[in-house]
Amino acid sequence: MTDFSDKCIVLKISDHRDDDRLAKVLTAEHGLVTIRLRGVKKAKAKLKPFAQEFCVFDTRLTANRGVFLTPVEPLLIRDGFSLCGDLKVFTAASVAAEATVNALGDDQPHPHVFIELLKLISALEPNGDPYYQTSVYLLRLLELTGFYKRFEYFAEPQTPVQLLGYAQKTGYETRCDSDLSRRALKYISREFEKNFDVRSKSIDSVDLYG
């Protein structure tokens, strides 16, 4: 029997049977796991706030049988509605979520990635520059998973590569040129795809909300 308590960030939600949903979550101490949210499609389901991408919660997770874990009395720390209500922010967050799943892909602990993802969730907002923030996260994610590549720093970046050098040094700081951030995010996503030999689907939506 599996039984542990941990903090969780929801990365992906999918339907399961008539009334349930499955959530792929990153935990602070137990890596990527899949939890089953029972009855969450019902109108007054108590677990409905937890069936939302990018929500953060603390819970006990248990499994008597099967491959899915069940949350026991979860405590919501932060809902995901603010990130899902704006299409550009949601797209940027989705790129980060898909990259996280592709980069880790196991149940080993990744506490540094968990903390970095929390930083991104806190930084993302409709009035900011979500594509820039997500570019910072992907740079950090590559570094934390052993694929560090140094980009030259420019105080006034004019190209996507220069912006990545700026992001690498300054971190989660708002930028104003959204077109440059969009191109930088696409560039670092391509680098990510090469390193992990994956095809990122979420990046295809970036041009729709530039």
Side-chain angles (χ1 to χ4, degrees):
M1 174 179 172
T2 301
D3 194 319
F4 61 88
S5 295
D6 212 336
K7 290 180 172 60
C8 305
I9 302 173
V10 176
L11 300 179
K12 181 179 179 182
I13 295 288
S14 57
D15 290 331
H16 181 69
R17 298 184 177 176
D18 293 335
D19 297 316
D20 303 345
R21 284 198 167 100
L22 298 179
K24 175 72 77 173
V25 304
L26 177 63
T27 65
E29 300 295 338
H30 296 83
L32 287 171
V33 299
T34 301
I35 66 174
R36 181 179 177 183
L37 300 166
R38 296 177 185 273
V40 78
K41 294 181 187 176
K42 296 178 181 178
K44 296 182 179 180
K46 292 182 179 180
L47 292 177
K48 195 173 288 292
F50 302 91
Q52 179 75 58
E53 285 95 341
F54 318 117
C55 76
V56 183
F57 60 94
D58 199 347
T59 190
R60 175 184 159 209
L61 293 169
T62 183
N64 290 318
R65 60 182 181 275
V67 295
F68 304 130
L69 297 171
T70 300
V72 179
E73 297 182 355
L75 175 63
L76 190 65
I77 298 174
R78 176 175 180 148
D79 66 53
F81 294 108
S82 61
L83 272 65
C84 296
D86 181 276
L87 287 175
K88 185 174 180 179
V89 174
F90 178 75
T91 299
S94 296
V95 171
E98 183 181 4
T100 302
V101 172
N102 288 336
L104 305 184
D106 55 42
D107 58 358
Q108 298 299 310
H110 299 280
H112 296 298
V113 175
F114 183 89
I115 292 171
E116 201 62 46
L117 187 56
L118 281 180
K119 290 180 182 178
L120 173 65
I121 289 173
S122 297
L124 287 172
E125 56 182 33
N127 295 327
D129 192 338
Y131 291 167
Y132 173 80
Q133 311 289 8
T134 301
S135 297
V136 174
Y137 175 75
L138 288 186
L139 286 165
R140 296 277 202 266
L141 182 60
L142 284 169
E143 182 178 356
L144 290 169
T145 51
F147 293 98
Y148 178 75
K149 177 180 178 180
R150 182 181 177 276
F151 293 91
E152 186 176 356
Y153 170 75
F154 288 84
E156 296 295 332
Q158 302 296 320
T159 69
V161 174
Q162 290 178 0
L163 184 61
L164 291 174
Y166 179 94
Q168 208 164 43
K169 183 172 181 178
T170 60
Y172 296 102
E173 180 181 316
T174 301
R175 299 292 300 172
C176 297
D177 190 339
S178 59
D179 180 65
L180 188 58
S181 297
R182 176 184 60 82
R183 289 186 287 141
L185 179 56
K186 292 179 70 175
Y187 184 96
I188 196 61
S189 292
R190 287 194 294 270
E191 288 291 308
F192 184 91
E193 290 176 343
K194 284 188 231 176
N195 287 326
F196 287 96
D197 193 24
V198 294
R199 174 72 177 93
S200 299
K201 298 178 182 178
S202 299
I203 197 66
D204 293 337
S205 300
V206 165
D207 289 334
L208 299 177
Y209 310 109

